[in-house]
Amino acid sequence: MSKHNSKREVVLSVVVAVLVLVIISMAYYIGKDNMLLSGKTETNQKGNNQDSNLINNGNNQNESSSNFDLTVDSKKCINSKGETYTLAFYDNADGLSIKLSEDRRSVKLSINWSLFGPLSGSSAWSSDIESLTINNFSTEIKDIYIGGYGQDISGVTILYLMSDGTVEYTPLLEAMTNNKNIKSYGKIPNVSGVVKFYTADAMQFGGVTMLAQRADGTFYDLGLILLEK
């Protein structure tokens, strides 16, 4: 074998070895990316299932959130009085809007009286649109929600999910008649670890109520608690 051929074979061997290393490296990183993708998908699925823990296991947990005809597993109610719940949506906030501040320490409430006034029966406010700031909170606010309980608009309530999992509230019509003192009325007692709010029909209650779900799928009927207050 000539010296020239030997050099060419050496060069060819080096090229082949480099190509093999490149292929192995590409296969490793592709496999690694697929593992990461699988991990993200699994995490997202767990998160979605956590939200659906409130729903009765007999229902399809992949149904759209716009489908409110879902029966709640009433056995998971922490303060149950034998109610049967069905998730619902009502436009009891017609004329009301709330916005959380960037620092999560205050909430701006806007009331369109041409819409909300006829529902509330209140004549204490003269302007068409009223803007108010609610800022007497004990900790940072995580989420805000307008709900209600009972059979009429007298139970309309603003809920504030605090960063520590507790819930503060404003009974709106009561606050309006109390020298227009729109503020947080403090924490709802004996409620903790909340992650999400729902509105539901309470069959035996004869009206609607507000549910506060915990991470483990158990929940509080906030309407029952506020009625007792």
Side-chain angles (χ1 to χ4, degrees):
M1 181 181 296
S2 67
K3 188 175 181 180
H4 179 72
N5 289 338
S6 297
K7 286 183 179 181
R8 186 166 56 184
E9 289 179 0
V10 169
V11 171
L12 183 60
S13 298
V14 170
V15 170
V16 170
V18 170
L19 288 174
V20 170
L21 288 174
V22 169
I23 293 171
I24 292 174
S25 298
M26 289 178 63
Y28 170 76
Y29 283 110
I30 291 172
K32 186 177 180 181
D33 286 343
N34 287 337
M35 290 174 64
L36 289 173
L37 181 60
S38 298
K40 288 178 182 178
T41 302
E42 182 178 357
T43 301
N44 288 337
Q45 289 175 345
K46 289 179 179 178
N48 291 336
N49 288 339
Q50 173 177 303
D51 285 345
S52 64
N53 281 339
L54 181 67
I55 310 303
N56 191 311
N57 291 333
N59 291 293
N60 182 0
Q61 294 183 351
N62 293 322
E63 291 190 56
S64 169
S65 60
S66 63
N67 185 349
F68 291 94
D69 187 19
L70 296 172
T71 301
V72 175
D73 186 352
S74 300
K75 295 178 181 178
K76 295 182 179 181
C77 182
I78 296 171
N79 59 320
S80 173
K81 289 192 175 181
E83 298 287 351
T84 300
Y85 303 99
T86 301
L87 295 189
F89 175 81
Y90 296 101
D91 195 11
N92 58 356
D94 197 16
L96 301 176
S97 64
I98 49 177
K99 182 178 181 180
L100 183 60
S101 65
E102 290 186 4
D103 63 2
R104 296 183 173 272
R105 289 285 180 175
S106 65
V107 171
K108 181 179 178 181
L109 168 65
S110 295
I111 306 173
N112 184 335
W113 284 101
S114 63
L115 296 174
F116 187 70
L119 299 175
S120 68
S122 174
S123 59
W125 303 66
S126 57
S127 61
D128 288 338
I129 297 179
E130 196 80 24
S131 294
L132 301 155
T133 299
I134 306 170
N135 56 14
N136 63 317
F137 298 101
S138 57
T139 58
E140 190 175 274
I141 306 165
K142 187 176 181 180
D143 198 7
I144 49 180
Y145 188 85
I146 300 178
Y149 62 94
Q151 300 182 19
D152 55 42
I153 199 171
S154 63
V156 65
T157 304
I158 304 175
L159 299 176
Y160 315 96
L161 176 56
M162 311 309 291
S163 59
D164 60 0
T166 60
V167 178
E168 296 191 23
Y169 75 110
T170 299
L172 194 54
L173 291 188
E174 179 181 335
M176 287 177 181
T177 57
N178 184 20
N179 298 319
K180 305 178 185 177
N181 192 12
I182 312 296
K183 64 178 183 178
S184 168
Y185 276 48
K187 296 182 186 298
I188 298 179
N190 303 316
V191 172
S192 62
V194 173
V195 297
K196 192 171 183 179
F197 298 125
Y198 297 88
T199 292
D201 283 321
M203 303 305 179
Q204 295 171 336
F205 189 58
V208 302
T209 191
M210 303 169 293
L211 307 182
Q213 179 191 346
R214 293 164 57 96
D216 62 0
T218 59
F219 63 93
Y220 301 95
D221 183 336
L222 299 182
L224 287 177
I225 298 174
L226 294 177
L227 271 178
E228 293 175 355
K229 287 176 63 63

